[in-house]
């Protein structure tokens, strides 16, 4: 390969790599508080920027994360995720925060992943069994029993979970490195898809019989963050 062609190919790969890692780009100004007002004219990271002269401290503020949420009857847990939609000042800062409440004896934040973020979780109260699973081909489980004051990291994009194994309710706070990390709950996505996935796909992929797949697809799949869920 000629040197000139090699340099062109190398430049192309470098450019592609820069786009591949360019999630939640760094701000080019002090802040870009998000707004629904399109007349502002500046559009950054999926949000319009509020006129800086109209920005107040309230744009960077949220109250109430100290308040426990009622847990889901199905999962025994509830997540309260604060993203840029809750705190406009998070726009372009690559941050979000979540409080997770778990009922005693089995409250579960089910297996899920964040397509745009890694996560660091701190247990405030209770005892959790928490972990993550690596990607193909190994599927290694990294899990620990966590108590108050313990911290655990869930790497970017990997499936992870938390289960309250204690006799008392548990509380955790986690930070994620995206203003909008997204949540893909594994079971909900597979069995609760709309419209439903062809059962033959699930029968073969999960080694299940047809009746069980049909039963699972008929169930109501509740998201841990869904305040309207049961």
């Amino acid at each position: 390969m000629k040197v000139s062609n090699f340099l062109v190919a190398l430049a192309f790969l470098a450019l592609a790599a820069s786009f591949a890692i360019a999630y939640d780009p760094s701000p080019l100004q002090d802040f870009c508080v998000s707004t629904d007002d399109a007349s502002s004219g500046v559009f950054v990271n999926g949000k319009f920027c509020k006129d800086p002269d109209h920005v107040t401290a309230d744009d960077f503020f949220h109250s109430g994360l100290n308040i426990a949420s009622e847990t889901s009857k199905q999962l025994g847990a509830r997540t309260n995720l604060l993203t840029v939609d809750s705190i406009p000042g998070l726009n372009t800062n690559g941050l979000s925060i979540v409080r997770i409440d778990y009922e005693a004896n089995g409250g579960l934040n089910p297996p899920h992943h964040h397509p745009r973020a890694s996560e660091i979780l701190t247990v405030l109260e209770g005892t959790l069994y928490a972990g993550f699973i690596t990607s193909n081909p190994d599927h290694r489980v990294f899990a620990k029993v966590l108590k108050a004051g313990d911290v655990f990291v869930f790497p970017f994009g990997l499936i992870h979970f938390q289960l309250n194994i204690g006799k008392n309710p548990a509380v955790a706070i986690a930070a994620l490195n995206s203003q909008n990390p997204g949540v893909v709950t594994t079971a909900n996505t597979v069995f609760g898809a709309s419209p439903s996935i062809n059962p033959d796909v699930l029968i073969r992929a999960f080694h299940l019989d047809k009746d069980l797949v049909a039963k699972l697809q008929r169930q109501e799949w509740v998201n841990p963050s869904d305040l309207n869920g049961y």
Side-chain angles (χ1 to χ4, degrees), residues 61-75:
F61 174 79
H62 180 88
S63 181
L65 204 60
N66 62 311
I67 300 172
S69 298
E70 181 180 358
T71 57
S72 159
K73 292 181 181 178
Q74 185 183 94
L75 297 170

Side-chain angles (χ1 to χ4, degrees), residues 97-115:
I97 189 169
V98 59
R99 173 185 171 128
I100 313 159
D101 291 284
Y102 314 81
E103 70 179 26
N105 300 308
L108 174 68
N109 190 14
H112 64 282
H113 72 276
H114 305 287

Side-chain angles (χ1 to χ4, degrees), residues 121 128-132 142-146 152 154 161-163:
L121 178 135
L128 300 177
Y129 170 69
F132 64 88
F142 291 82
K144 292 277 290 183
V145 173
L146 308 177
F152 199 75
F154 303 118
F161 56 86
Q162 305 104 42
L163 174 71

Side-chain angles (χ1 to χ4, degrees), residues 191 199 202-203 206-219 221:
F191 297 106
L202 305 181
I203 290 168
F206 291 94
H207 306 172
L208 301 174
D209 64 60
K210 183 176 181 179
D211 291 339
L212 181 54
V213 167
K215 180 180 178 180
L216 290 171
Q217 289 187 313
R218 288 195 302 267
Q219 289 188 19
W221 294 92

